[in-house]
Amino acid sequence: MPLSFRPGPFARNLMAYCLSEVAAKASRVLVVVAVARTMDATAIGVAAAALAGSDILKALTENGAGQRIIAASEEDLPGICRTARRIFWSWCLGLFALQIALGLGLWAASGDAMLFVLVAILAGEYLFMPAGLVNCALAMRAGKMRQTASIAAGQVVGANALTALLAVVIAGPLALVLPRLLAAPIWLLAMRRLQPWTPVLAPPAPIGPFVRYGASVLGTEVVKALRLQADKLVIAALMGAEALGIYFLAFNAGLGLATSFSQAFATVLFPHLCTASDRIAALRQALTLSLCILVPVVLLQALLVPVYVPILFGDDWTGLAPIVRILCLAAIPTIVWASAAGWLRAADRPEVEFALTLGMTAALIANTVLLAPYGLVAIALGYLAVSAVAQIGGAAPVLLRAFLPAQPRFA
């Protein structure tokens, strides 16, 4: 039976990544509770600004080279791996230098040395990434999705546990940032052990296809990071660090779980579509399964917001409940768009994904700018409305092909 008609492997891999994300988010609850009870909104806002800026820049690591390895033929694989390795090293070292330079610029502009320290610590992650990225792509190509999910979960859980501890001990922005660097070696060592790889004597693959494919993938990932983080930077600029701290907690409590599910879904979907004999059928099955899992969870989470927000954050943060409930619902259009984006990338059409993602991001940034004078609840409502219209509308052409019966063609 063709792979595209067997949902089992996809379901098992998705479940592995979902369990990985559940473990990560469960440990993240410790962080949120510790932070909410030991730090004020302004301190949280400073750390959130550094994390948001770093995450936008970190999206530059998604340059499409890993996808080229996953989709390569056996004959071309050795040369593609050699070229990808060179790209990973030069790219990550360049990003390290760029982030250090940006941190120095922020220090000079603001006079805040702590902001530079936070940005520089986050830059240290780039020094650990390139030595394991080829191994990671080869492991995913080999179908070791459950193992890569476990490694990712181990890294995040370790970082979150350390963050919760540091939040109690030092109770400052450093507690939210330093564990990201300390956990990076966990991922590197585990990935190299999972999928050992040594470059072989084969001609490197031409770099041209990497550039053509990677340019759109890179643009998409940067814009996607902007979509998730730019509203936080706009809030910081227009409403101040205290408002950002409040929004940061609400965003993580409301949309954090769904964002992680969406990332897990996208990670599993791309290799699944690359190996499927019928990509449309594979897409239809994957999206149906994912929505059946996500929609009940999101609705239940929204209903329970008034219960769990005071328990997790304390009575001082009960005002977060309306914002958290609104942001919960934005998870559903996110997973719909993730399915269409995965299909476009597997079909070698990343430029279409890039153009649509750019439009969505511009709309969400405009929403934050226009509604900032009306408060955080208004921003959250606008985020829900804009994301629903933009993401479902952008996914519609792909999903119509997947879910509507093919029409007969007549001469």
Side-chain angles (χ1 to χ4, degrees):
M1 183 176 290
L3 179 61
S4 59
F5 293 100
R6 291 190 292 112
F10 175 82
R12 288 194 295 271
N13 291 335
L14 180 62
M15 183 60 66
Y17 266 88
C18 285
L19 290 175
S20 167
E21 294 295 343
V22 166
K25 288 305 174 185
S27 65
R28 187 68 174 174
V29 169
L30 297 176
V31 174
V32 172
V33 171
V35 165
R37 296 175 183 273
T38 60
M39 296 167 59
D40 59 27
T42 301
I44 297 170
V46 171
L51 288 167
S54 176
D55 285 345
I56 291 172
L57 191 61
K58 193 173 181 179
L60 292 172
T61 59
E62 298 291 340
N63 52 29
Q67 286 91 336
R68 297 286 299 177
I69 292 174
I70 293 172
S73 65
E74 288 294 335
E75 180 182 357
D76 297 334
L77 184 61
I80 285 177
C81 286
R82 288 193 64 188
T83 301
R85 178 173 177 264
R86 295 177 181 178
I87 292 172
F88 287 141
W89 272 104
S90 58
W91 199 257
C92 289
L93 291 176
L95 289 176
F96 172 80
L98 176 60
Q99 188 156 323
I100 293 294
L102 289 175
L104 289 171
L106 290 172
W107 185 8
S110 65
D112 189 346
M114 176 55 70
L115 192 56
F116 166 72
V117 171
L118 298 177
V119 172
I121 289 173
L122 290 169
E125 285 188 88
Y126 296 121
L127 301 180
F128 293 93
M129 293 175 64
L133 288 172
V134 172
N135 307 72
C136 180
L138 287 171
M140 296 176 72
R141 173 188 172 89
K144 300 178 181 179
M145 304 293 290
R146 281 166 281 179
Q147 293 93 324
T148 57
S150 298
I151 291 170
Q155 179 188 10
V156 175
V157 169
N160 286 342
L162 186 56
T163 299
L165 176 63
L166 290 178
V168 175
V169 175
I170 62 177
L174 193 63
L176 286 172
V177 170
L178 183 59
R180 291 270 292 264
L181 175 61
L182 297 179
I186 298 175
W187 177 87
L188 174 59
L189 295 174
M191 200 63 69
R192 289 176 67 89
R193 183 170 183 176
L194 171 66
Q195 186 71 34
W197 172 76
T198 303
V200 299
L201 293 177
I207 200 169
F210 283 86
V211 173
R212 286 191 296 272
Y213 183 84
S216 296
V217 172
L218 179 61
T220 298
E221 293 298 330
V222 172
V223 174
K224 187 189 301 182
L226 283 170
R227 192 185 77 217
L228 294 173
Q229 305 295 342
D231 56 341
K232 301 179 183 66
L233 298 179
V234 172
I235 289 171
L238 298 181
M239 303 176 69
E242 182 177 358
L244 174 59
I246 296 170
Y247 187 77
F248 176 79
L249 288 179
F251 193 93
N252 278 276
L255 200 52
L257 179 61
T259 300
S260 296
F261 183 91
S262 175
Q263 292 170 343
F265 175 71
T267 300
V268 175
L269 182 64
F270 179 79
H272 178 65
L273 293 179
C274 285
T275 56
S277 59
D278 184 345
R279 285 179 178 168
I280 290 295
L283 173 64
R284 181 170 59 247
Q285 293 170 350
L287 178 58
T288 300
L289 173 65
S290 299
L291 287 178
C292 287
I293 295 172
L294 181 66
V295 171
V297 172
V298 168
L299 296 179
L300 180 62
Q301 183 185 1
L303 288 173
L304 294 178
V305 163
V307 177
Y308 73 77
V309 165
I311 293 174
L312 291 181
F313 300 155
D315 293 335
D316 293 340
W317 299 91
T318 53
L320 285 178
I323 306 173
V324 173
R325 174 172 283 169
I326 294 166
L327 291 174
C328 282
L329 300 176
I332 297 172
T334 298
I335 202 68
V336 171
W337 166 244
S339 66
W343 186 87
L344 289 168
R345 194 171 294 191
D348 203 22
R349 298 176 63 192
E351 70 283 355
V352 178
E353 180 193 3
F354 171 66
L356 292 172
T357 304
L358 184 62
M360 296 173 195
T361 303
L364 288 170
I365 292 174
N367 164 76
T368 306
V369 172
L370 293 173
L371 296 183
Y374 303 99
L376 295 177
V377 173
I379 291 174
L381 283 170
Y383 186 99
L384 173 60
V386 171
S387 63
V389 172
Q391 293 185 112
I392 295 176
V398 172
L399 299 185
L400 288 175
R401 293 185 59 184
F403 286 91
L404 291 183
Q407 299 299 317
R409 300 179 66 179
F410 301 97

